[in-house]
Amino acid sequence: MALRNIVTEGDELLRKKSRQVTEINERICTLLDDLADTMYYENRGIGLAAVQVGVLRRVFVVDVGDEHGLIEFINPEIIETSGNQVYCEGCLSVPGRNANVNRPAKIKIRATNRHGEEFELEAEGILAICICHEFDHLEGILFIDKAIDGEIIEAGSDE
Ligand code: NI
C-alpha cells in the first residue's frame, strides 16, 4: 500500500489539463493502485484523479460504495449525458468546503482499463456525479467553479 500526498486548491497544478496516457505501463498501474489506496485512506473519498496526487495524466478512480466497487478509468470520454441532478459536493483537494453543483442525471462514459481494454459504462445518481467531478479534474476544473449561485459552504458553518 502506498499513499501519495494530495495537492490542494491554490496549487496551479489543479488548473492544468491532464495529458492522454499513451502507454499503459507499470508506472500507470502503480499510479492506479496508489490512487485507490489514497482515496480509501482519506476520509470519505469516493473518487480521486491523478492530478490530485500531482500527476497530469488522464486517469482517475472512483468507488461510491455501490455494486461496481472500484472502477479505474484511463483516457475517459463522456459520450452521452441526459437530465440533471443537484448534489452537495466536496473534494479532497478542496478541504472544508462544499457546494451544490448541477450535474447530468445519467451519463455514458468510455474509457480504457489497466489491461488496455476499452469499456463503456452507464451511470446515474451518485456514480454519475462522481465520474463527472473526476472528469472535470482532468480539465483543470474544480467543483467550486460550478457552485450554484457561486455559493460555497464553509465547513463548520450551519447555514
Ligand atoms: Ni475532487
Side-chain angles (χ1 to χ4, degrees), residues 20 58 60 73-81 107-112 118-121 131 135 138-139:
Q20 289 281 123
R58 299 185 81 81
F60 62 76
F73 297 86
I74 299 167
N75 297 337
E77 283 176 81
I78 294 173
I79 51 178
E80 278 179 39
T81 65
I107 62 160
K108 189 191 273 188
I109 185 165
R110 181 186 294 147
T112 301
E118 195 176 270
F119 66 97
E120 284 184 8
L121 176 74
I131 288 170
F135 185 85
L138 308 186
E139 299 294 312

Side-chain angles (χ1 to χ4, degrees), residues 1 32 42-43 51 53 74 92 95 105 120 125 139-140 150-151:
M1 157 154 185
L32 286 163
E42 296 289 338
N43 193 27
V51 62
V53 298
I74 299 167
L92 295 173
E120 284 184 8
E139 299 294 312
E151 200 175 317

